[in-house]
Amino acid sequence: MAVGTAAGISLSSILSTIGGIIEAISVSLDIAQQQCEMISLKEYYKYKIEGNKKMYEIYPAIAVAERISAVAVSNSSSAYELKTKIFRQGIVIKTEDTGEYYYIGGISPVWIGGSNIAVYQGGAAFRGSVKLPAKARDIFISNGGIGIIPLKRVSAQIEWYNPARFKSCQGLLGTIWDYITTIGVASVVAIASLASEITLSSPRSIDDLVYPGSGGSYYVSKTLIGSSLGGERSDELRTTSDQYPFIYLALALFKQVASGLGLSNYPAVTVNGPIDVALNNCNQIMPSEYCTRIAVGTVFQPFTLDFKFNDIDIGAPVFSRQFCATYC
């Protein structure tokens, strides 16, 4: 879409297109659930306005390896393109019994095996407690590009907030996908992402983003990830991770439709443009500067690059609230 006033795409129109593609006889959108989703998103943004740290429950983690392959650099024509290759998103969880931290999220194939992994979430800085072996990286990539890495915490606020957890209508903890694939309607989910902030922030040149290392690899700039030994107070990714996420809305599809679209491992469909329900509620679910960019683009990038769903979003957290009888 060119720079200018944005027109919203309706979720129902996307659903109709999907239904036509796979000749689905009956695919309906759960309107009550969609309203519940918006209520939940408004609650979390209200936490942000009030300074309530529960807002951190929907913040994504940003992950990057200290070393990346030289091929990734030579095959990139811009810093924007290289960023989509080297950065991934996910979540950081703290175990309730042992107090250990783990990153669960996207793993990039251009991360050099044996590299230190830097992870940031909500202004907190972490490093992998072990270096990521090439074999483990390859296994994660072959299984959809999602992996798990044990972490050590190097700087953060004192109190930690684990990501929000999905509850069924019976109040049971579970996964969104397990619930959705048992019902015959499409639900709305929110994907929390900082991809646009990563791509729009400095550095904006490849030479400032990485520098040559040994053995056919490049190092990620220390201005982004600080020192692997600590001292992360000046690293830019830590600051970026403390910004409120941009909210994508996506359709989570029940099993028949998801399988027909080849989405069995991640049954959700989103679009590279604004959705009408997000536009209509934008200032109540995310910062006004995001809403301005959605409408008119920015001087740095055209609209299509500002919020284009890209590989940085692999592993980004997905949140949903369901409608249960007479309540959300």
Side-chain angles (χ1 to χ4, degrees):
M1 183 179 294
V3 174
T5 302
I9 304 168
S10 71
L11 288 168
S12 58
S13 67
I14 300 170
L15 189 60
S16 297
T17 302
I18 294 171
I21 291 173
I22 65 167
E23 299 180 351
I25 297 174
S26 177
V27 181
S28 61
L29 180 63
D30 188 338
I31 300 301
Q33 183 275 328
Q34 176 180 306
Q35 293 170 342
C36 283
E37 186 74 0
M38 297 310 299
I39 289 172
S40 182
L41 292 173
K42 289 176 182 179
E43 287 177 352
Y44 273 102
Y45 189 55
K46 187 178 179 181
Y47 293 149
K48 161 69 174 175
I49 295 173
E50 296 173 344
N52 187 328
K53 295 188 183 301
K54 276 182 66 66
M55 65 182 177
Y56 287 120
E57 291 180 354
I58 67 166
Y59 276 47
I62 304 170
V64 65
E66 188 177 45
R67 295 168 58 223
I68 63 170
S69 72
V71 173
V73 178
S74 62
N75 288 344
S76 298
S77 60
S78 65
Y80 172 89
E81 181 181 356
L82 183 56
K83 286 179 179 182
T84 66
K85 296 176 181 178
I86 67 176
F87 294 109
R88 290 293 182 265
Q89 293 184 98
I91 58 174
V92 172
I93 63 167
K94 181 181 180 181
T95 58
E96 296 178 356
D97 52 349
T98 63
E100 296 173 305
Y101 293 93
Y102 292 89
Y103 166 77
I104 304 173
I107 304 293
S108 173
V110 306
W111 293 355
I112 292 290
S115 294
N116 292 312
I117 305 299
V119 178
Y120 303 87
Q121 183 172 323
F126 301 85
R127 290 293 184 269
S129 58
V130 295
K131 295 182 178 181
L132 179 64
K135 185 175 181 179
R137 177 205 59 198
D138 293 343
I139 291 173
F140 292 147
I141 295 301
S142 66
N143 285 283
I146 305 294
I148 180 169
I149 299 173
L151 301 173
K152 58 182 178 181
R153 181 172 169 173
V154 293
S155 70
Q157 66 269 26
I158 295 175
E159 190 173 5
W160 180 255
Y161 287 80
N162 270 334
R165 301 177 69 183
F166 178 79
K167 292 182 180 180
S168 71
C169 290
Q170 289 73 40
L172 301 175
L173 293 173
T175 65
I176 296 172
W177 307 132
D178 288 344
Y179 178 84
I180 288 172
T181 55
T182 64
I183 58 178
V185 294
S187 298
V188 178
V189 296
I191 302 173
S193 172
L194 285 169
S196 62
E197 295 306 294
I198 295 170
T199 55
L200 286 173
S201 63
S202 60
R204 294 196 179 95
S205 72
I206 291 178
D207 289 342
D208 291 333
L209 181 60
V210 296
Y211 61 93
S214 60
S217 67
Y218 276 72
Y219 284 94
V220 174
S221 169
K222 289 295 187 290
T223 62
L224 284 173
I225 63 173
S227 167
S228 60
L229 299 178
E232 282 75 14
R233 299 303 300 175
S234 63
D235 51 355
E236 294 181 10
L237 280 182
R238 185 185 65 82
T239 302
T240 300
S241 76
D242 202 20
Q243 298 185 57
Y244 199 81
F246 179 81
I247 304 297
Y248 289 98
L249 293 183
L251 285 173
L253 307 171
F254 63 94
K255 191 171 184 178
Q256 176 191 0
V257 179
S259 297
L261 293 171
L263 296 171
S264 57
N265 292 325
Y266 194 89
V269 173
T270 188
V271 291
N272 289 330
I275 298 175
D276 56 357
V277 67
L279 286 174
N280 294 337
N281 297 274
C282 193
N283 288 301
Q284 294 176 280
I285 65 173
M286 54 184 158
S288 59
E289 57 265 30
Y290 292 167
C291 303
T292 301
R293 286 188 209 160
I294 290 174
V296 298
T298 75
V299 296
F300 300 118
Q301 300 280 5
F303 174 86
T304 51
L305 288 186
D306 262 3
F307 292 107
K308 184 177 181 181
F309 206 70
N310 58 53
D311 284 353
I312 297 176
D313 292 301
I314 295 174
V318 179
F319 302 97
S320 182
R321 177 180 285 189
Q322 300 302 309
F323 178 72
C324 303
T326 59
Y327 66 93
C328 293

